[in-house]
Amino acid sequence: MTNQPDWAENARQFQQMMTEGWSAMLHTMQQPAAAGAAAAPLQPPAPVRLVPEKLAALQQQYLQDARDLWSQGMQPGAGIAADKRFAGEGWAQNPLSAFSAAVYQLQARTLMGLADAVEGDEKTRARIRFGLEQWLAAAAPSNFLAFNAEAQKLALETQGESIAKGIANLLRDMRQGHISMTDESRFEVGRNVATTEGAVVFENELFQLIEYKPLTPKVYERPLLMVPPCINKYYILDLQPDNSLIRYAVAQGHRTFVVSWCNPDASLSQKTWDDYIEDAVLTAIGTVQKISGADQINALGFCVGGTMLANALAVLAARGESPVASATFLTTLIDFGDTGILDVFIDESFVRLREMQMGQGGLMKGQDLASTFSFLRPNELVWNYVVGNYLKGETPPPFDLLYWNSDSTNLPGPYYAWYLRNFYLENRLIEPGALTVCGEKLDLSKVKLPVYIYGSREDHIVPAAAAYASTQVLPGKKRFVMGASGHIAGVINPPAKKKRSHWVREDGKLPPTLDEWLAGATELPGSWWDDWCAWLAGHAGKQVAAPKSYGKAPHFKDIEPAPGRYVKQKA
C-alpha cells in the first residue's frame, strides 16, 4: 500500500508553525531602532494574532491544494499558474522545475493570505505584506540554476558559455556596486542623453543653472524654470530629443532654465533643507528673473523638486514677495497623508535612527536610495536582472531610462533626516505655521498663484490620490490632470508617441477626493503635455524676440555648454 501524507498531522503542524512563525516575524519587523538619550522609550511590539476564521479557511484551502498538487506528481507543466517567471517552454517540459514552481506558488498564495489574516491596523498588514513580497521574490525557483529550466537549457546549448558570461557579469556588477539594468556602456551624458543645446549660466556649490537655446524666433516674456528632484539627475527630463520635456518646452516658445543638482560628497554633508531652499531654489528663481529681466517667471517642480518648490513659494509668500506667476507640480507630494508603498518604512523608530546616523552630518548614499526604489518592485527591477545577467549570461538591452535610473545621487544627511521627519512622518507642511524654513513660518494658504497639478494613475511612489490632495491645500486657481502609467513613464509621455491617455475635468470642479473627481472626468487619448502647454501659455505673457546669447553680461556668462559638469558627477 502506498504511503500517504498524514493530512491531519500536517494541518496541526501547519497551524502551529504559521502562528509561531508569524509572531516571530512581526516581532522582528516591529523592533524599535536604537534611540537617542533624549528620546522617549518606544513601546515593545504587541504579539501578532491571526483571525481564527481566516486561518481555518486558509488551512483548509492549503491542504486541498496540496493534495491536488501531490496527486498530479511531477508532470510537465502541472499546477503552474500564469506567471511570466515560469512561462518559458523549458518550465513546461521539465517536471522538476514545473513541480518546484507549482509548490512555490502554493506557498506564496498561502503566506500572502496569512498576511491578510493578521489582526491589526492596515500599516502593520502592509509591512508584513511588503516583507513577505521581498522574501518570496528572492526565494522564487527561477532565481536558482538548480531549478531554472530555461537557464539550464541555455547552458547546455552554449556548452557552458552562458554560465561563464554570467559569472563575468556578476563580477562586473560587484565592481560597479549595482546590478546592471541596461548596457551602460552604450550611454554617455552629453553625447546621447541630455543633449538639448544650452549653456550653464550660473553655479554655486549646490547646483548649476542651465539656460537652453531657443528653437523659435520669439519666446514668451516670462521664462520657465524647472526644478527636478535632487535625489536623481535632471536629465530624466531630457533623455532623447523625441521624449525630452525640456526640448518640448523650448520648442513651444518658452525660454527654459533647469536646475542641475550637485552630487554631494563629504564637503556638502552638513547641508540642510533650508540650504537647499534658500541657496538653490530661491537663488534659481532670483537668477532667472535677473537674467530675463522679467518681473515674474513660471516654475515647474517634479517629485521632490515640487515639494521643494512648494516650500520656496511659501517662504516667498511669508516675505511678501511674488516672483512666480504660476507653478506646475508633477507627481509631487505636498500633503503627505498618503505616501503609498513608502509608508511601510516610515515610523518614529526609523526616522529617529536616521537622525542619529546622519541628522548632524553625513551622506545618504545614492546607491542605498536606488536599491530602496528598485526593491519596491523586486521582480521587475531586481530578480529579473539577476536571472538574465547571471544565470543566463545575457547583456541587458540599452534603455536610456534605466541608464538614468542607475545614475544615482547622494543626499546630505541633515537634509534627508529633516525631510523624513517633517514631511513623511509628521506631515507638517499642510499645517499653517507648523514649519519654519529659511526663517519663515510656512502657510500654504498664502500661496495663491495659479497651479497645474499632475498625477500618474499607477504611480507607486506618489499615488495619484496623493498628488490630487494638493488641490485641497493650495488656495489659488487650479487645474488637475491625471495620466496613465507610473511615476516616470506617466510624466515622460511626449505627444508624438501617441501613447497612453489622460483624464481632464472641464467643469473645473475639484471635489475632496480623486474618486469624486474621476466621476466627472473625461478620458482623452495620448499625452497630457499639450494640455499643460496650453495652460502654461496663458500664464507666460506676450511673445518677445528670442535672446541671441546665453545669460546676461556681465554677471551671468556662458560658463560651459550644457549639460555641464555637475550632472556627470558620480555618487
Side-chain angles (χ1 to χ4, degrees):
M1 183 175 179
T2 304
N3 291 331
Q4 295 292 325
D6 186 340
W7 296 109
E9 176 61 19
N10 284 351
R12 185 193 66 77
Q13 292 179 357
F14 171 77
Q15 183 168 0
Q16 180 179 358
M17 175 187 69
M18 290 303 178
T19 302
E20 294 176 352
W22 278 93
S23 296
M25 178 182 290
L26 185 59
H27 180 81
T28 299
M29 295 179 69
Q30 290 182 329
Q31 281 298 309
L42 298 175
Q43 296 298 317
V48 66
R49 290 184 174 84
L50 303 175
V51 178
E53 295 80 9
K54 291 184 178 181
L55 178 60
L58 281 168
Q59 175 183 308
Q60 184 177 3
Q61 185 64 52
Y62 177 85
L63 295 176
Q64 180 60 53
D65 290 347
R67 286 192 192 100
D68 294 342
L69 184 59
W70 188 273
S71 65
Q72 294 176 27
M74 291 190 183
Q75 300 177 20
I80 303 180
D83 188 324
K84 63 181 181 181
R85 292 174 294 180
F86 316 124
E89 185 178 336
W91 289 93
Q93 296 176 346
N94 186 313
L96 176 61
S97 295
F99 188 74
S100 70
V103 170
Y104 166 80
Q105 290 179 327
L106 170 59
Q107 306 291 10
R109 286 195 305 271
T110 305
L111 288 170
M112 295 307 295
L114 283 167
D116 291 331
V118 169
E119 289 183 341
D121 58 87
E122 181 54 35
K123 183 163 184 170
T124 296
R125 284 192 293 271
R127 283 181 158 178
I128 292 174
R129 282 194 296 268
F130 181 80
L132 262 181
E133 287 165 357
Q134 300 302 315
W135 184 81
L136 290 170
S142 52
N143 299 337
F144 301 93
L145 185 60
F147 297 107
N148 191 315
E150 296 287 321
Q152 293 170 8
K153 181 181 178 183
L154 186 61
L156 292 173
E157 291 173 348
T158 63
Q159 297 183 329
E161 184 180 358
S162 63
I163 295 177
K165 287 182 177 179
I167 294 172
N169 289 343
L170 175 61
L171 294 174
R172 178 202 61 211
D173 286 355
M174 290 173 67
R175 287 192 298 269
Q176 72 181 11
H178 64 266
I179 298 173
S180 295
M181 298 181 180
T182 184
D183 185 354
E184 298 180 20
S185 66
R186 302 283 294 275
F187 296 100
E188 181 183 346
V189 175
R191 180 175 64 84
N192 55 4
V193 291
T195 60
T196 300
E197 188 174 356
V200 174
V201 293
F202 173 86
E203 68 181 40
N204 63 21
E205 62 182 349
L206 293 180
F207 76 102
Q208 289 186 315
L209 183 67
I210 301 173
E211 179 180 3
Y212 289 91
K213 182 179 179 179
L215 296 174
T216 53
K218 291 188 175 182
V219 296
Y220 290 102
E221 63 178 339
R222 286 178 181 157
L224 172 65
L225 171 66
M226 295 187 179
V227 184
C230 58
I231 63 172
N232 302 110
K233 301 291 182 70
Y234 85 86
Y235 63 88
I236 185 60
L237 301 173
D238 189 30
L239 287 172
Q240 302 292 332
D242 63 352
N243 66 1
S244 169
L245 182 59
I246 290 172
R247 185 178 180 85
Y248 174 82
V250 174
Q252 303 304 311
H254 296 282
R255 188 177 181 184
T256 303
F257 296 78
V258 172
V259 170
S260 175
W261 296 103
C262 177
N263 200 337
D265 58 15
S267 67
L268 298 177
S269 63
Q270 302 292 328
K271 293 298 180 180
T272 65
W273 181 266
D274 278 21
D275 292 328
Y276 271 71
I277 302 303
E278 188 73 69
D279 298 335
V281 182
L282 292 175
T283 296
I285 291 171
T287 302
V288 172
Q289 276 187 289
K290 292 172 184 176
I291 291 174
S292 66
D295 292 334
Q296 289 186 308
I297 71 169
N298 294 308
L300 176 150
F302 179 21
C303 189
V304 180
T307 306
M308 296 171 72
L309 177 60
N311 275 247
L313 293 173
V315 170
L316 290 167
R319 294 174 178 174
E321 302 173 15
S322 54
V324 180
S326 76
T328 298
F329 296 103
L330 306 181
T331 58
T332 292
L333 286 171
I334 294 176
D335 181 345
F336 284 71
D338 175 10
T339 55
I341 193 171
L342 292 175
D343 184 60
V344 301
F345 298 108
I346 306 299
D347 62 12
E348 177 64 34
S349 61
F350 172 78
V351 173
R352 201 181 296 173
L353 175 63
R354 287 306 195 189
E355 289 172 334
M356 289 179 58
Q357 291 174 329
M358 60 187 69
Q360 301 304 313
L363 291 175
M364 180 63 191
K365 295 293 186 179
Q367 189 53 52
D368 292 343
L369 285 168
S371 296
T372 297
F373 285 110
S374 291
F375 276 100
L376 297 180
R377 295 166 55 194
N379 287 325
E380 293 86 354
L381 295 179
V382 180
W383 299 107
N384 173 51
Y385 297 103
V386 168
V387 172
N389 295 1
Y390 311 147
L391 298 191
K392 297 182 178 180
E394 298 170 343
T395 298
F399 188 12
D400 52 10
L401 191 149
L402 290 177
Y403 174 77
W404 166 85
N405 189 63
S406 299
D407 194 2
S408 57
T409 307
N410 299 327
L411 284 178
Y415 168 103
Y416 173 68
W418 194 93
Y419 173 66
L420 284 179
R421 174 166 293 282
N422 289 286
F423 298 138
Y424 270 94
L425 182 64
E426 298 181 358
N427 193 18
R428 301 180 73 194
L429 182 56
I430 61 173
E431 300 176 24
L435 283 180
T436 299
V437 174
C438 302
E440 307 292 346
K441 295 283 188 181
L442 302 193
D443 185 352
L444 292 178
S445 68
K446 297 180 180 179
V447 180
K448 298 180 179 180
L449 77 175
V451 296
Y452 187 100
I453 301 168
Y454 168 83
S456 290
R457 184 180 58 179
E458 287 88 30
D459 195 337
H460 60 294
I461 296 173
V462 179
Y468 180 81
S470 298
T471 65
Q472 306 301 301
V473 297
L474 295 172
K477 189 173 182 181
K478 299 172 283 282
R479 180 169 180 79
F480 177 79
V481 173
M482 185 179 75
S485 198
H487 189 68
I488 299 298
V491 172
I492 308 304
N493 184 29
K497 299 284 188 180
K498 296 182 179 179
K499 288 185 176 180
R500 308 183 184 95
S501 59
H502 64 285
W503 289 258
V504 299
R505 183 160 174 165
E506 296 301 346
D507 63 9
K509 293 182 179 179
L510 295 166
T513 68
L514 176 63
D515 288 341
E516 293 173 273
W517 182 86
L518 280 170
T522 302
E523 182 178 2
L524 300 175
S527 173
W528 58 272
W529 285 16
D530 287 339
D531 181 88
W532 170 67
C533 185
W535 177 88
L536 184 61
H539 300 284
K542 66 178 185 293
Q543 292 203 327
V544 298
K548 302 296 184 183
S549 60
Y550 299 115
K552 185 177 183 180
H555 301 295
F556 302 102
K557 298 179 180 180
D558 177 347
I559 297 173
E560 61 181 337
R565 307 185 313 282
Y566 286 14
V567 73
K568 298 179 181 181
Q569 296 168 337
K570 295 297 183 180

